[in-house]
Amino acid sequence: MDDIEIDAVATPELDDPVLIEGLPGVGHVGKLAAEQLLEECDGTLVRRVYTTEFPPQVTVDDDGVTELTCAEFHAVETEGADLLVLTGDHQAATNAGHYRVTSAFLDVAEEFGASRAYALGGVPTGELVEEYTVLGAVSDASLREELEAVDVQFRSDEPAGGIVGVSGLILGLGERRGFEAACLMGETSGYLVDPKSARAVLEVLQERLGFEVAFDSLEERAEEMEEVAGKIQEMQDGPAVGDDELRYIG
Amino acid sequence: MDDIEIDAVATPELDDPVLIEGLPGVGHVGKLAAEQLLEECDGTLVRRVYTTEFPPQVTVDDDGVTELTCAEFHAVETEGADLLVLTGDHQAATNAGHYRVTSAFLDVAEEFGASRAYALGGVPTGELVEEYTVLGAVSDASLREELEAVDVQFRSDEPAGGIVGVSGLILGLGERRGFEAACLMGETSGYLVDPKSARAVLEVLQERLGFEVAFDSLEERAEEMEEVAGKIQEMQDGPAVGDDELRYIG
Amino acid sequence: MDDIEIDAVATPELDDPVLIEGLPGVGHVGKLAAEQLLEECDGTLVRRVYTTEFPPQVTVDDDGVTELTCAEFHAVETEGADLLVLTGDHQAATNAGHYRVTSAFLDVAEEFGASRAYALGGVPTGELVEEYTVLGAVSDASLREELEAVDVQFRSDEPAGGIVGVSGLILGLGERRGFEAACLMGETSGYLVDPKSARAVLEVLQERLGFEVAFDSLEERAEEMEEVAGKIQEMQDGPAVGDDELRYIG
Amino acid sequence: MDDIEIDAVATPELDDPVLIEGLPGVGHVGKLAAEQLLEECDGTLVRRVYTTEFPPQVTVDDDGVTELTCAEFHAVETEGADLLVLTGDHQAATNAGHYRVTSAFLDVAEEFGASRAYALGGVPTGELVEEYTVLGAVSDASLREELEAVDVQFRSDEPAGGIVGVSGLILGLGERRGFEAACLMGETSGYLVDPKSARAVLEVLQERLGFEVAFDSLEERAEEMEEVAGKIQEMQDGPAVGDDELRYIG
């Protein structure tokens, strides 16, 4: 196997498509947002990207059938713009791998004629988030105004540590190839998978690109996560009654 | 030395052989099962695979003679099918290495005309196993029925984390080359080497492929392991008498 | 992307320039010294060096605009000598990467006609430093005298563990290419960013090369660090009054 | 810089030389033995081997002069045999690196006409060693007798974990190229640098190859180590008097 192998599943004509990246990261915000897009829209799988940078792993589906770990591109046509949505379960394993894999992703996007890209992700706040602000970063200053117009916030030197992983390189390597690239980062505690933050990011994206999707799946997941968070809270607060026996444990 | 070097020790004619992979993994289930096969059957060493992905290591035998770490293929003729049994002491050291090494293994299998493969392994349950169920996963849905017929169980989305390492890639990369590949995973606690789980896997395999081997060696090892487990249990329970002084230690 | 990509931003004529390396390291001494040089002098950005050995990362500036992580060379003309100042936020990620990246840095220096190099850094003492001595090491014994003349100290077998990272290889690989290379190491506790140590290194350098820069920025940073150190000291000493409640915590 | 660069310092004619490898390892036994050989005999530096697998590091000598980390071959003529002694401060950083670096070492040995090799090292016993037995392992059974004749012991399946690192590969890769290779392993506790074990290994080697060296330097080091060991013992035993206050510390 080559370091990177790309399977062409379908090659529909797309009209100036926009690359939307949603790989795993902080709060799985980008991944949840991209997956929601695919669930609500009628997308077409167009490319599978296999790479020796991903773990040596197959996933097993409901029928016990395995599939080699890969990243996938789906073509999604919306009323606002054609999208090329990149999802998957993994980032690369090494520094050099991140560069190589992101280069391959940008190759695919270019092949479909994309020249704009949005990297979706989360930015950790370290505390409970009440209002789901979306922070932005852009590969070129000229892109800032149109994002501020849809309520994306820009804060001096944030995020402090820069943007790492595939999202960062979509901007960094993308710019070097002439992409107009932006990163949309939903604020999130950083401790839990955060569907609400994903929704905030998606709302910004659809306003920017002029399409609309339902949020049913994200809302369901948000309710699940609230249950989880509630249970964790309970465990931390301790039982309301009958905790006498527990007092002696720790 | 090249990244991978393959020594051709013998090249017997095999009739549609089945690749059986048993490298180290959870509970050493796959390795034990494959080694039992080699012990009971009259196999022929056909290939040695050396790779810079294995540790820089030689083993030392009873006579003090060293051998460079490698994986080995043995040809085994059974009444049911010709087997090509892959064993060894190591997996690869890196993600990319797993892909490269598994590709080399599949090259060898193809060279002998194999188009079917069984990856043998264990699946950790985290608790003591009473009944040794064998879970299955298949590279193609059409392979499921014949395994269910020999009591292999398929459970929705299990194993949860997918299948990793060479076993996973035998299915994942194997499928991409046209292999019919399945993984047989014996349930095992995950804490100890588990000859009983290996026996359960081997029983499924021989029923599926129509051969029979004795289990003497696995039974011996199972007895040894029970002694080990018994001693661990004893240590955890503490001494039957005279434990008064110990009470204050922990 | 190639493993290393070098963007030529400008190519001014330099007169026998001296390579000055200040990448991150112990106490950030070298980085602070090199950055101070760039702040005080009127330098020109001449090269950006991108490499897959750096983290997959973009920095975000005050305007929310991203830049792919890189190392930069600035040309600085001083009354004493032309300088080629190398700064950046990262070292390489692997052993082999350090060698490759340093080789690329030396390529750039050679391209501008440099044949002398100073690697700036810190040497950890493990305790509070009162007098900021600068230790030296040289690629060739003939270089020692001119450094001793500007109060650089040479101590038998120090630093004990040798010099690691890009600084070490500027000397090690530089020598193999015919560079006259020296390392100037400011003594520093090793626990904190140390602008005073950086100043000591810079004073030696300017005396050696015959130029003069102001130290305003390093002085400011030194004051900030003293505040930080003061607070840490306070925390360690505990509060002056009212510490009765705290007595029971630990 | 290439992955491996070999500087030819001198190329004397050697008569069927024997490769003696003494790189760092358990108890530094091999390294001490090889260094003692070089100190006592009048050797000639013949090759320096640089590799990106070694740390990015220069050593600093008594005069403050740096040298890029490398492994060195010295030619040593003894009354018994010509030796090609390999020493250095590092092993490789990766599995693949160990294979590549050892291959380069064997290339050098072949270039000088060597077809025999002794890898020197230690084998950890986990306890204080009273009698310094030397264990052996051989690339071919025919080499065993001549080693047993000089009191090298062979024990079934020892060392249990095989032989790792460059020493292991001198045998493993060496055999594949037609070298007659043996490993001489001095028993050592494994906790401390062990000059006595190094002496035991060297005594075996010189008896086998028919030469004699003094052990002055190893004896000095052994005395130093005994002082160190004595101090550690004292610290463990606690002070002979006045330990009342200490009783409450732990």
Side-chain angles (χ1 to χ4, degrees), chain D residues 38-53:
Chain D
L38 294 183
E39 255 175 67
E40 296 295 335
C41 305
D42 200 30
T44 311
L45 175 65
V46 295
R47 291 288 182 279
R48 282 201 187 94
V49 180
Y50 301 95
T51 168
T52 61
E53 279 290 323

Side-chain angles (χ1 to χ4, degrees), chain C residues 26 36 57 64 70 73 82 94 99 127 142 158-159 195 206 211:
Chain C
V26 180
Q36 173 71 18
Q57 190 172 349
C70 63
F73 283 88
D82 284 0
T94 65
Y99 285 87
E127 51 193 35
S142 66
E158 270 199 48
Q206 63 182 13
F211 65 91

Side-chain angles (χ1 to χ4, degrees), chain A residues 16-22 37 72-74 82-87 102 104-110 113-120 166 170-171 174 179-182 205 209:
Chain A
D16 189 19
V18 181
L19 173 63
I20 308 292
E21 175 264 330
L37 256 180
E72 294 182 340
F73 283 89
H74 284 80
D82 284 0
L83 310 180
L84 201 53
V85 182
L86 167 60
T87 55
T102 308
F105 292 156
L106 292 169
D107 287 345
V108 170
E110 276 183 355
S115 63
R116 286 179 296 163
Y118 289 93
L120 312 185
V166 171
I170 292 279
L171 278 77
F179 273 79
E180 293 187 345
L205 188 70
L209 296 179

Side-chain angles (χ1 to χ4, degrees), chain A residues 68-144:
Chain A
L68 185 56
T69 283
C70 64
E72 294 182 340
F73 283 89
H74 284 80
V76 174
E77 295 180 39
T78 73
E79 62 274 28
D82 284 0
L83 310 180
L84 201 53
V85 182
L86 167 60
T87 55
D89 289 331
H90 300 284
Q91 298 243 352
T94 65
N95 278 6
H98 270 97
Y99 285 86
R100 272 198 298 265
V101 168
T102 308
S103 290
F105 292 156
L106 292 169
D107 287 345
V108 170
E110 276 183 355
E111 192 191 338
F112 279 96
S115 63
R116 286 179 296 163
Y118 289 93
L120 312 185
V123 60
T125 61
E127 51 193 33
L128 216 65
V129 174
E130 301 283 342
E131 287 205 34
Y132 284 87
T133 303
V134 175
L135 288 188
V138 287
S139 65
D140 191 276
S142 65
L143 302 169
R144 181 170 163 165

Side-chain angles (χ1 to χ4, degrees), chain A residues 160-209:
Chain A
I163 304 168
V164 295
V166 171
S167 287
L169 293 185
I170 292 279
L171 278 77
L173 293 178
E175 185 196 1
R176 286 172 66 74
R177 294 172 170 227
F179 273 79
E180 293 187 345
C183 189
L184 300 176
M185 294 160 279
E187 286 195 327
T188 177
S189 70
Y191 303 128
L192 291 169
V193 169
D194 196 339
K196 285 189 178 170
S197 182
R199 179 178 178 154
V201 167
L202 210 44
E203 283 173 344
V204 160
L205 188 70
Q206 63 182 12
E207 200 176 336
R208 174 69 196 88
L209 296 179

Side-chain angles (χ1 to χ4, degrees), chain D:
Chain D
M1 176 166 165
D2 294 333
D3 287 355
I4 291 176
E5 287 189 5
I6 300 176
D7 279 12
V9 181
T11 306
E13 281 288 313
L14 298 178
D15 178 18
D16 189 19
V18 181
L19 173 63
I20 308 291
E21 176 264 328
L23 292 173
V26 180
H28 275 213
V29 173
K31 181 171 157 69
L32 287 173
E35 285 175 356
Q36 173 70 20
L37 257 180
L38 294 183
E39 255 175 67
E40 296 295 335
C41 305
D42 200 30
T44 311
L45 175 65
V46 295
R47 291 288 182 279
R48 282 201 187 94
V49 180
Y50 301 95
T51 168
T52 61
E53 279 290 323
F54 286 162
Q57 189 172 350
V58 288
T59 52
V60 182
D61 72 10
D62 282 358
D63 296 322
V65 178
T66 58
E67 192 189 11
L68 185 57
T69 282
C70 64
E72 294 181 340
F73 283 88
H74 285 79
V76 175
E77 295 180 40
T78 73
E79 62 274 29
D82 284 359
L83 309 180
L84 202 52
V85 182
L86 167 60
T87 54
D89 289 330
H90 300 283
Q91 298 243 350
T94 64
N95 279 5
H98 270 98
Y99 284 86
R100 270 198 298 266
V101 168
T102 309
S103 290
F105 292 156
L106 292 170
D107 287 346
V108 170
E110 276 181 355
E111 192 190 338
F112 279 95
S115 62
R116 286 179 296 163
Y118 289 93
L120 311 185
V123 60
T125 61
E127 51 192 34
L128 218 65
V129 175
E130 302 281 342
E131 287 205 34
Y132 285 87
T133 304
V134 175
L135 289 187
V138 288
S139 65
D140 191 276
S142 66
L143 303 169
R144 181 170 163 165
E145 196 177 347
E146 65 195 30
L147 288 176
E148 285 178 321
V150 293
D151 280 332
V152 174
Q153 293 200 5
F154 288 80
R155 296 191 194 137
S156 176
D157 278 317
E158 272 201 46
I163 304 167
V164 296
V166 170
S167 287
L169 293 185
I170 292 278
L171 277 77
L173 293 178
E175 186 195 0
R176 286 172 66 75
R177 294 172 170 227
F179 273 79
E180 293 188 345
C183 190
L184 300 177
M185 293 161 279
E187 286 196 328
T188 178
S189 69
Y191 303 128
L192 292 169
V193 169
D194 195 340
K196 285 189 180 170
S197 183
R199 178 177 177 154
V201 167
L202 209 44
E203 284 173 342
V204 160
L205 187 70
Q206 62 181 13
E207 200 177 336
R208 173 71 195 87
L209 295 178
F211 66 90
E212 252 180 74
V213 296
F215 296 109
D216 300 356
S217 159
L218 280 180
E219 272 170 14
E220 260 175 57
R221 293 214 204 186
E223 277 166 33
E224 282 167 32
M225 285 312 299
E226 265 175 25
E227 259 177 66
V228 170
K231 279 181 194 154
I232 292 171
Q233 191 63 45
E234 251 174 52
M235 278 160 59
Q236 287 177 335
D237 293 346
V241 295
D243 60 348
D244 271 14
E245 315 86 80
L246 288 172
R247 196 168 288 164
Y248 302 101
I249 284 179

Side-chain angles (χ1 to χ4, degrees), chain B residues 177-227:
Chain B
R177 293 172 171 227
F179 273 79
E180 294 187 345
C183 190
L184 300 176
M185 294 161 280
E187 286 195 327
T188 176
S189 70
Y191 303 128
L192 292 169
V193 169
D194 195 341
K196 284 188 179 171
S197 182
R199 179 179 177 152
V201 166
L202 209 44
E203 283 173 344
V204 160
L205 187 70
Q206 62 181 12
E207 201 177 334
R208 173 70 196 87
L209 296 179
F211 66 89
E212 252 179 75
V213 296
F215 295 109
D216 300 356
S217 158
L218 280 181
E219 274 169 13
E220 259 174 57
R221 292 213 205 187
E223 277 165 34
E224 282 167 32
M225 285 313 299
E226 267 176 24
E227 258 177 67

Side-chain angles (χ1 to χ4, degrees), chain A residues 5 7 50 55-57 62-64, chain B residues 99 138 144 157 161 163 165 176:
Chain A
E5 287 190 5
D7 280 10
Y50 301 95
Q57 190 173 350
D62 283 358
D63 297 322
Chain B
Y99 284 86
V138 288
R144 181 169 162 166
D157 278 317
I163 304 168
R176 286 173 63 75

